Amino acid sequence: MTIGTHRLVLGTAQLGMQYGIANATGIPDRNAAVDIVLAALRAGVNTLDTAHCYGDAESILRDALALAVQEGLPVPRVITKLDTPLAEEAEQLSDKETIQFVKQGVISSCRALGLEQLPVLLIRESWPLMRPTMFWETLLTLREQGLIHTLGLSAQSPAEVQLALKFPDIRHLQVPINILDHRWRNSDVFAQISVRGDLTVHARSVFLQGLLLAGNNSLWPDVSQGCGPDVIHALLKAKQMLNRSSLADLCTAYVLSYPQISGVVLGLETAEQLEENLRLLTTPALSNAERKFVDDIIPYVPSALLNPSSW
């Protein structure tokens, strides 16, 4: 296994549904999607990221995993996410309804993936950690019963990560971080993460759904408030000054300059993109000085731009 395969967390959203503002390829057909996953496993990728809400992604992984077993390939670690209602929606549920909601979500993912136990299950909202609810208690019970191995949080911000760090039952964090995201460099959250030696931390949204790679001003959403041209100019300058091979190389090297991040979730729609993703993650991370150089020249962007759900 190379360092690239160790760092790559294969994102499967694009295999199961239309995803990404710069996605011009579309959803691959099911057989092609299964072949892409198998190619990743054959290359040594050992972590797959999915969610029950990613269309057919979980069942595509089920088919790929079954073929992988037949080939004698190592069993990868599958990370999936539980559909988590908003706090105001959850308040309308009785304890009995909450328990049923959580159980059904976990069982549905087990069935879709063809697994008796979910290796890693992430919640998609942090509110279950803020106050005692049957939502979180039910997850702990299901873990004790063997349906879940590791619990974690798909965080939306440094503040949510800081909250999760207070809970020893959270052993996996997925964080949205990219070269524009000033929230992380203005926080000491990575120093706090280092104190917890039992945590796995993966990065997602490193390309902001492809926006940072497109180089096309027309793709920038309204929430960018016209910052697109300045950002593109700064990114191209950083790429040239730091002698990076591409904007994708610059963006991944930036994220991996944080030593607490052990894996990067990268999605794809084609086998060619798999090869490129593996290549990207074999290149050296930026040094601390290089990361500071980038931070100093990248324009400060509106916070809404950092959350694609607000586009």
Side-chain angles (χ1 to χ4, degrees), residues 3 7 19 42-43 52 69 74 79 88 99 112-113 118 121 139 162 168 195 197 205 225 233 266 280 285 289 291 297:
I3 190 170
R7 287 173 168 173
Y19 182 87
R42 290 169 184 149
H52 199 60
V69 169
I79 302 165
E88 53 268 28
I99 293 169
L113 289 163
L118 300 178
L121 180 68
L139 286 171
Q162 289 171 324
V195 176
S205 296
Q225 300 178 20
H233 176 76
L266 295 179
L280 285 174
R291 187 177 73 221
I297 68 170

PDB file of all heavy atoms in Angstrom, residues 3 7 19 42-43 52 69 74 79 88 99 112-113 118 121 139 162 168 195 197 205 225 233 266 280 285 289 291 297:
ATOM      1  N   ILE A   3       1.492   5.547   0.109  1.00  0.00           N
ATOM      2  CA  ILE A   3       0.960   6.607   0.962  1.00  0.00           C
ATOM      3  C   ILE A   3      -0.309   7.196   0.364  1.00  0.00           C
ATOM      4  O   ILE A   3      -1.212   7.622   1.075  1.00  0.00           O
ATOM      5  CB  ILE A   3       2.023   7.693   1.191  1.00  0.00           C
ATOM      6  CG1 ILE A   3       1.565   8.678   2.266  1.00  0.00           C
ATOM      7  CG2 ILE A   3       2.355   8.428  -0.110  1.00  0.00           C
ATOM      8  CD1 ILE A   3       2.646   9.633   2.712  1.00  0.00           C
ATOM      9  N   ARG A   7      -4.013   7.467   2.269  1.00  0.00           N
ATOM     10  CA  ARG A   7      -4.651   8.756   2.539  1.00  0.00           C
ATOM     11  C   ARG A   7      -6.010   8.900   1.858  1.00  0.00           C
ATOM     12  O   ARG A   7      -6.835   9.705   2.299  1.00  0.00           O
ATOM     13  CB  ARG A   7      -3.739   9.888   2.063  1.00  0.00           C
ATOM     14  CG  ARG A   7      -2.509  10.141   2.906  1.00  0.00           C
ATOM     15  CD  ARG A   7      -1.626  11.172   2.206  1.00  0.00           C
ATOM     16  NE  ARG A   7      -0.571  11.671   3.080  1.00  0.00           N
ATOM     17  CZ  ARG A   7       0.396  12.473   2.678  1.00  0.00           C
ATOM     18  NH1 ARG A   7       0.447  12.865   1.404  1.00  0.00           N
ATOM     19  NH2 ARG A   7       1.305  12.905   3.523  1.00  0.00           N
ATOM     20  N   TYR A  19     -24.004  15.027  -8.106  1.00  0.00           N
ATOM     21  CA  TYR A  19     -23.346  15.718  -7.005  1.00  0.00           C
ATOM     22  C   TYR A  19     -22.199  16.562  -7.547  1.00  0.00           C
ATOM     23  O   TYR A  19     -21.430  16.121  -8.403  1.00  0.00           O
ATOM     24  CB  TYR A  19     -22.793  14.696  -6.003  1.00  0.00           C
ATOM     25  CG  TYR A  19     -22.125  15.283  -4.787  1.00  0.00           C
ATOM     26  CD1 TYR A  19     -22.859  15.620  -3.663  1.00  0.00           C
ATOM     27  CD2 TYR A  19     -20.746  15.498  -4.768  1.00  0.00           C
ATOM     28  CE1 TYR A  19     -22.234  16.162  -2.533  1.00  0.00           C
ATOM     29  CE2 TYR A  19     -20.122  16.030  -3.647  1.00  0.00           C
ATOM     30  CZ  TYR A  19     -20.877  16.362  -2.541  1.00  0.00           C
ATOM     31  OH  TYR A  19     -20.262  16.893  -1.430  1.00  0.00           O
ATOM     32  N   ARG A  42      -8.553  -2.739  -5.500  1.00  0.00           N
ATOM     33  CA  ARG A  42      -7.395  -3.442  -6.069  1.00  0.00           C
ATOM     34  C   ARG A  42      -6.127  -2.603  -5.947  1.00  0.00           C
ATOM     35  O   ARG A  42      -5.036  -3.151  -5.803  1.00  0.00           O
ATOM     36  CB  ARG A  42      -7.668  -3.779  -7.530  1.00  0.00           C
ATOM     37  CG  ARG A  42      -8.727  -4.857  -7.742  1.00  0.00           C
ATOM     38  CD  ARG A  42      -9.117  -4.936  -9.197  1.00  0.00           C
ATOM     39  NE  ARG A  42     -10.201  -5.904  -9.423  1.00  0.00           N
ATOM     40  CZ  ARG A  42     -11.119  -5.774 -10.379  1.00  0.00           C
ATOM     41  NH1 ARG A  42     -11.092  -4.714 -11.198  1.00  0.00           N
ATOM     42  NH2 ARG A  42     -12.069  -6.686 -10.515  1.00  0.00           N
ATOM     43  N   ALA A  43      -6.296  -1.277  -5.998  1.00  0.00           N
ATOM     44  CA  ALA A  43      -5.137  -0.385  -5.878  1.00  0.00           C
ATOM     45  C   ALA A  43      -4.655  -0.256  -4.442  1.00  0.00           C
ATOM     46  O   ALA A  43      -3.576   0.293  -4.198  1.00  0.00           O
ATOM     47  CB  ALA A  43      -5.496   0.993  -6.433  1.00  0.00           C
ATOM     48  N   HIS A  52     -26.534   6.836   3.568  1.00  0.00           N
ATOM     49  CA  HIS A  52     -27.792   6.258   3.095  1.00  0.00           C
ATOM     50  C   HIS A  52     -28.527   7.222   2.162  1.00  0.00           C
ATOM     51  O   HIS A  52     -29.310   6.788   1.313  1.00  0.00           O
ATOM     52  CB  HIS A  52     -28.690   5.891   4.287  1.00  0.00           C
ATOM     53  CG  HIS A  52     -29.771   4.911   3.935  1.00  0.00           C
ATOM     54  ND1 HIS A  52     -29.495   3.651   3.439  1.00  0.00           N
ATOM     55  CD2 HIS A  52     -31.127   5.005   3.987  1.00  0.00           C
ATOM     56  CE1 HIS A  52     -30.634   3.011   3.215  1.00  0.00           C
ATOM     57  NE2 HIS A  52     -31.627   3.813   3.533  1.00  0.00           N
ATOM     58  N   VAL A  69     -14.647  -9.719  -2.053  1.00  0.00           N
ATOM     59  CA  VAL A  69     -14.465 -10.933  -1.245  1.00  0.00           C
ATOM     60  C   VAL A  69     -14.133 -12.116  -2.141  1.00  0.00           C
ATOM     61  O   VAL A  69     -13.251 -12.929  -1.826  1.00  0.00           O
ATOM     62  CB  VAL A  69     -15.730 -11.208  -0.403  1.00  0.00           C
ATOM     63  CG1 VAL A  69     -15.663 -12.592   0.231  1.00  0.00           C
ATOM     64  CG2 VAL A  69     -15.897 -10.142   0.672  1.00  0.00           C
ATOM     65  N   PRO A  74      -8.503  -7.408   0.551  1.00  0.00           N
ATOM     66  CA  PRO A  74      -8.712  -7.027   1.956  1.00  0.00           C
ATOM     67  C   PRO A  74     -10.041  -6.308   2.133  1.00  0.00           C
ATOM     68  O   PRO A  74     -10.462  -5.538   1.260  1.00  0.00           O
ATOM     69  CB  PRO A  74      -7.531  -6.096   2.251  1.00  0.00           C
ATOM     70  CG  PRO A  74      -6.489  -6.456   1.245  1.00  0.00           C
ATOM     71  CD  PRO A  74      -7.231  -6.867   0.016  1.00  0.00           C
ATOM     72  N   ILE A  79     -17.360   3.794   5.960  1.00  0.00           N
ATOM     73  CA  ILE A  79     -17.916   4.865   6.776  1.00  0.00           C
ATOM     74  C   ILE A  79     -19.235   5.284   6.151  1.00  0.00           C
ATOM     75  O   ILE A  79     -19.281   5.638   4.973  1.00  0.00           O
ATOM     76  CB  ILE A  79     -16.974   6.089   6.810  1.00  0.00           C
ATOM     77  CG1 ILE A  79     -15.601   5.687   7.352  1.00  0.00           C
ATOM     78  CG2 ILE A  79     -17.576   7.225   7.628  1.00  0.00           C
ATOM     79  CD1 ILE A  79     -14.525   6.724   7.081  1.00  0.00           C
ATOM     80  N   GLU A  88     -35.141  20.987  15.427  1.00  0.00           N
ATOM     81  CA  GLU A  88     -36.554  21.340  15.565  1.00  0.00           C
ATOM     82  C   GLU A  88     -37.470  20.213  15.082  1.00  0.00           C
ATOM     83  O   GLU A  88     -38.573  20.046  15.597  1.00  0.00           O
ATOM     84  CB  GLU A  88     -36.861  22.637  14.813  1.00  0.00           C
ATOM     85  CG  GLU A  88     -36.440  22.660  13.358  1.00  0.00           C
ATOM     86  CD  GLU A  88     -35.044  23.217  13.156  1.00  0.00           C
ATOM     87  OE1 GLU A  88     -34.226  23.100  14.087  1.00  0.00           O
ATOM     88  OE2 GLU A  88     -34.788  23.762  12.063  1.00  0.00           O
ATOM     89  N   ILE A  99     -36.419   6.433  18.924  1.00  0.00           N
ATOM     90  CA  ILE A  99     -35.743   5.127  18.969  1.00  0.00           C
ATOM     91  C   ILE A  99     -35.973   4.374  17.662  1.00  0.00           C
ATOM     92  O   ILE A  99     -35.041   3.812  17.067  1.00  0.00           O
ATOM     93  CB  ILE A  99     -36.231   4.299  20.174  1.00  0.00           C
ATOM     94  CG1 ILE A  99     -35.773   4.960  21.475  1.00  0.00           C
ATOM     95  CG2 ILE A  99     -35.717   2.865  20.086  1.00  0.00           C
ATOM     96  CD1 ILE A  99     -36.418   4.378  22.717  1.00  0.00           C
ATOM     97  N   ALA A 112     -28.492  -2.310   3.159  1.00  0.00           N
ATOM     98  CA  ALA A 112     -28.061  -1.773   1.866  1.00  0.00           C
ATOM     99  C   ALA A 112     -26.607  -2.124   1.584  1.00  0.00           C
ATOM    100  O   ALA A 112     -26.230  -2.410   0.441  1.00  0.00           O
ATOM    101  CB  ALA A 112     -28.264  -0.261   1.836  1.00  0.00           C
ATOM    102  N   LEU A 113     -25.778  -2.108   2.629  1.00  0.00           N
ATOM    103  CA  LEU A 113     -24.358  -2.408   2.474  1.00  0.00           C
ATOM    104  C   LEU A 113     -24.051  -3.894   2.534  1.00  0.00           C
ATOM    105  O   LEU A 113     -22.937  -4.317   2.197  1.00  0.00           O
ATOM    106  CB  LEU A 113     -23.554  -1.691   3.564  1.00  0.00           C
ATOM    107  CG  LEU A 113     -23.440  -0.173   3.429  1.00  0.00           C
ATOM    108  CD1 LEU A 113     -22.999   0.449   4.741  1.00  0.00           C
ATOM    109  CD2 LEU A 113     -22.459   0.193   2.313  1.00  0.00           C
ATOM    110  N   LEU A 118     -21.949  -1.936  11.104  1.00  0.00           N
ATOM    111  CA  LEU A 118     -21.423  -0.758  10.434  1.00  0.00           C
ATOM    112  C   LEU A 118     -20.077  -0.406  11.060  1.00  0.00           C
ATOM    113  O   LEU A 118     -20.012  -0.097  12.251  1.00  0.00           O
ATOM    114  CB  LEU A 118     -22.386   0.415  10.582  1.00  0.00           C
ATOM    115  CG  LEU A 118     -23.791   0.198  10.003  1.00  0.00           C
ATOM    116  CD1 LEU A 118     -24.667   1.423  10.267  1.00  0.00           C
ATOM    117  CD2 LEU A 118     -23.744  -0.124   8.515  1.00  0.00           C
ATOM    118  N   LEU A 121     -20.121   4.790  11.876  1.00  0.00           N
ATOM    119  CA  LEU A 121     -21.374   5.497  11.612  1.00  0.00           C
ATOM    120  C   LEU A 121     -21.253   6.918  12.138  1.00  0.00           C
ATOM    121  O   LEU A 121     -20.967   7.137  13.310  1.00  0.00           O
ATOM    122  CB  LEU A 121     -22.557   4.799  12.284  1.00  0.00           C
ATOM    123  CG  LEU A 121     -23.921   5.482  12.055  1.00  0.00           C
ATOM    124  CD1 LEU A 121     -24.347   5.363  10.596  1.00  0.00           C
ATOM    125  CD2 LEU A 121     -24.990   4.879  12.964  1.00  0.00           C
ATOM    126  N   LEU A 139     -28.141   5.177  19.754  1.00  0.00           N
ATOM    127  CA  LEU A 139     -26.919   4.835  19.030  1.00  0.00           C
ATOM    128  C   LEU A 139     -25.920   4.113  19.932  1.00  0.00           C
ATOM    129  O   LEU A 139     -25.279   3.137  19.517  1.00  0.00           O
ATOM    130  CB  LEU A 139     -26.286   6.102  18.445  1.00  0.00           C
ATOM    131  CG  LEU A 139     -26.991   6.696  17.225  1.00  0.00           C
ATOM    132  CD1 LEU A 139     -26.400   8.057  16.881  1.00  0.00           C
ATOM    133  CD2 LEU A 139     -26.889   5.760  16.030  1.00  0.00           C
ATOM    134  N   GLN A 162     -15.183  21.101  18.392  1.00  0.00           N
ATOM    135  CA  GLN A 162     -14.861  21.361  19.791  1.00  0.00           C
ATOM    136  C   GLN A 162     -15.882  20.724  20.720  1.00  0.00           C
ATOM    137  O   GLN A 162     -15.531  20.214  21.793  1.00  0.00           O
ATOM    138  CB  GLN A 162     -14.757  22.858  20.028  1.00  0.00           C
ATOM    139  CG  GLN A 162     -13.521  23.479  19.388  1.00  0.00           C
ATOM    140  CD  GLN A 162     -13.519  24.993  19.440  1.00  0.00           C
ATOM    141  OE1 GLN A 162     -14.555  25.627  19.326  1.00  0.00           O
ATOM    142  NE2 GLN A 162     -12.344  25.587  19.601  1.00  0.00           N
ATOM    143  N   PRO A 168     -16.098  11.138  24.711  1.00  0.00           N
ATOM    144  CA  PRO A 168     -15.176  10.031  24.417  1.00  0.00           C
ATOM    145  C   PRO A 168     -15.762   8.984  23.483  1.00  0.00           C
ATOM    146  O   PRO A 168     -15.005   8.228  22.856  1.00  0.00           O
ATOM    147  CB  PRO A 168     -14.874   9.443  25.807  1.00  0.00           C
ATOM    148  CG  PRO A 168     -15.995   9.908  26.681  1.00  0.00           C
ATOM    149  CD  PRO A 168     -16.414  11.235  26.151  1.00  0.00           C
ATOM    150  N   VAL A 195      -4.758  16.425  21.322  1.00  0.00           N
ATOM    151  CA  VAL A 195      -4.806  15.917  22.684  1.00  0.00           C
ATOM    152  C   VAL A 195      -5.527  14.569  22.738  1.00  0.00           C
ATOM    153  O   VAL A 195      -5.223  13.728  23.592  1.00  0.00           O
ATOM    154  CB  VAL A 195      -5.494  16.940  23.615  1.00  0.00           C
ATOM    155  CG1 VAL A 195      -5.640  16.396  25.022  1.00  0.00           C
ATOM    156  CG2 VAL A 195      -4.708  18.251  23.627  1.00  0.00           C
ATOM    157  N   GLY A 197      -5.776  11.239  21.402  1.00  0.00           N
ATOM    158  CA  GLY A 197      -5.024  10.294  20.585  1.00  0.00           C
ATOM    159  C   GLY A 197      -5.851   9.175  19.992  1.00  0.00           C
ATOM    160  O   GLY A 197      -5.327   8.360  19.223  1.00  0.00           O
ATOM    161  N   SER A 205     -14.706  18.080   1.326  1.00  0.00           N
ATOM    162  CA  SER A 205     -14.937  19.384   0.671  1.00  0.00           C
ATOM    163  C   SER A 205     -13.638  20.122   0.372  1.00  0.00           C
ATOM    164  O   SER A 205     -13.607  21.350   0.377  1.00  0.00           O
ATOM    165  CB  SER A 205     -15.850  20.279   1.526  1.00  0.00           C
ATOM    166  OG  SER A 205     -17.133  19.718   1.655  1.00  0.00           O
ATOM    167  N   GLN A 225     -20.484  36.555  -3.408  1.00  0.00           N
ATOM    168  CA  GLN A 225     -20.446  38.026  -3.426  1.00  0.00           C
ATOM    169  C   GLN A 225     -19.339  38.567  -4.333  1.00  0.00           C
ATOM    170  O   GLN A 225     -18.661  39.551  -4.021  1.00  0.00           O
ATOM    171  CB  GLN A 225     -20.297  38.578  -2.003  1.00  0.00           C
ATOM    172  CG  GLN A 225     -21.444  38.188  -1.075  1.00  0.00           C
ATOM    173  CD  GLN A 225     -21.250  38.707   0.342  1.00  0.00           C
ATOM    174  OE1 GLN A 225     -20.496  39.640   0.582  1.00  0.00           O
ATOM    175  NE2 GLN A 225     -21.946  38.079   1.302  1.00  0.00           N
ATOM    176  N   HIS A 233      -7.355  34.083  -8.991  1.00  0.00           N
ATOM    177  CA  HIS A 233      -6.049  34.715  -9.190  1.00  0.00           C
ATOM    178  C   HIS A 233      -5.069  34.314  -8.084  1.00  0.00           C
ATOM    179  O   HIS A 233      -3.901  33.971  -8.361  1.00  0.00           O
ATOM    180  CB  HIS A 233      -6.208  36.239  -9.218  1.00  0.00           C
ATOM    181  CG  HIS A 233      -4.910  36.980  -9.317  1.00  0.00           C
ATOM    182  ND1 HIS A 233      -4.187  37.083 -10.495  1.00  0.00           N
ATOM    183  CD2 HIS A 233      -4.179  37.659  -8.366  1.00  0.00           C
ATOM    184  CE1 HIS A 233      -3.080  37.775 -10.266  1.00  0.00           C
ATOM    185  NE2 HIS A 233      -3.053  38.139  -8.997  1.00  0.00           N
ATOM    186  N   LEU A 266     -12.253  12.050  -1.314  1.00  0.00           N
ATOM    187  CA  LEU A 266     -12.300  12.549  -2.681  1.00  0.00           C
ATOM    188  C   LEU A 266     -13.291  11.711  -3.480  1.00  0.00           C
ATOM    189  O   LEU A 266     -13.177  10.483  -3.522  1.00  0.00           O
ATOM    190  CB  LEU A 266     -10.918  12.481  -3.344  1.00  0.00           C
ATOM    191  CG  LEU A 266      -9.822  13.378  -2.745  1.00  0.00           C
ATOM    192  CD1 LEU A 266      -8.520  13.176  -3.506  1.00  0.00           C
ATOM    193  CD2 LEU A 266     -10.232  14.846  -2.771  1.00  0.00           C
ATOM    194  N   LEU A 280      -2.491  12.473  -6.621  1.00  0.00           N
ATOM    195  CA  LEU A 280      -2.498  13.693  -5.820  1.00  0.00           C
ATOM    196  C   LEU A 280      -2.028  13.432  -4.390  1.00  0.00           C
ATOM    197  O   LEU A 280      -1.307  14.237  -3.799  1.00  0.00           O
ATOM    198  CB  LEU A 280      -3.907  14.295  -5.770  1.00  0.00           C
ATOM    199  CG  LEU A 280      -4.418  15.018  -7.006  1.00  0.00           C
ATOM    200  CD1 LEU A 280      -5.875  15.417  -6.814  1.00  0.00           C
ATOM    201  CD2 LEU A 280      -3.566  16.245  -7.301  1.00  0.00           C
ATOM    202  N   ALA A 285       2.915  17.166   1.329  1.00  0.00           N
ATOM    203  CA  ALA A 285       2.051  18.215   1.886  1.00  0.00           C
ATOM    204  C   ALA A 285       2.824  19.526   1.931  1.00  0.00           C
ATOM    205  O   ALA A 285       4.061  19.548   1.873  1.00  0.00           O
ATOM    206  CB  ALA A 285       1.596  17.827   3.286  1.00  0.00           C
ATOM    207  N   ALA A 289       5.337  26.822   6.704  1.00  0.00           N
ATOM    208  CA  ALA A 289       5.639  28.128   6.103  1.00  0.00           C
ATOM    209  C   ALA A 289       4.880  28.308   4.796  1.00  0.00           C
ATOM    210  O   ALA A 289       4.381  29.411   4.500  1.00  0.00           O
ATOM    211  CB  ALA A 289       7.144  28.250   5.871  1.00  0.00           C
ATOM    212  N   ARG A 291       2.041  26.858   4.012  1.00  0.00           N
ATOM    213  CA  ARG A 291       0.620  27.047   4.330  1.00  0.00           C
ATOM    214  C   ARG A 291       0.361  28.484   4.770  1.00  0.00           C
ATOM    215  O   ARG A 291      -0.643  29.078   4.394  1.00  0.00           O
ATOM    216  CB  ARG A 291       0.170  26.073   5.422  1.00  0.00           C
ATOM    217  CG  ARG A 291      -1.344  26.123   5.674  1.00  0.00           C
ATOM    218  CD  ARG A 291      -1.769  25.093   6.705  1.00  0.00           C
ATOM    219  NE  ARG A 291      -1.360  25.469   8.037  1.00  0.00           N
ATOM    220  CZ  ARG A 291      -0.867  24.624   8.944  1.00  0.00           C
ATOM    221  NH1 ARG A 291      -0.693  23.351   8.656  1.00  0.00           N
ATOM    222  NH2 ARG A 291      -0.533  25.054  10.144  1.00  0.00           N
ATOM    223  N   ILE A 297      -2.238  35.114   1.224  1.00  0.00           N
ATOM    224  CA  ILE A 297      -2.602  35.694  -0.074  1.00  0.00           C
ATOM    225  C   ILE A 297      -4.025  35.341  -0.511  1.00  0.00           C
ATOM    226  O   ILE A 297      -4.553  35.976  -1.423  1.00  0.00           O
ATOM    227  CB  ILE A 297      -1.613  35.272  -1.186  1.00  0.00           C
ATOM    228  CG1 ILE A 297      -1.730  33.778  -1.488  1.00  0.00           C
ATOM    229  CG2 ILE A 297      -0.198  35.666  -0.830  1.00  0.00           C
ATOM    230  CD1 ILE A 297      -0.962  33.370  -2.731  1.00  0.00           C
TER     231      ILE A 297
END
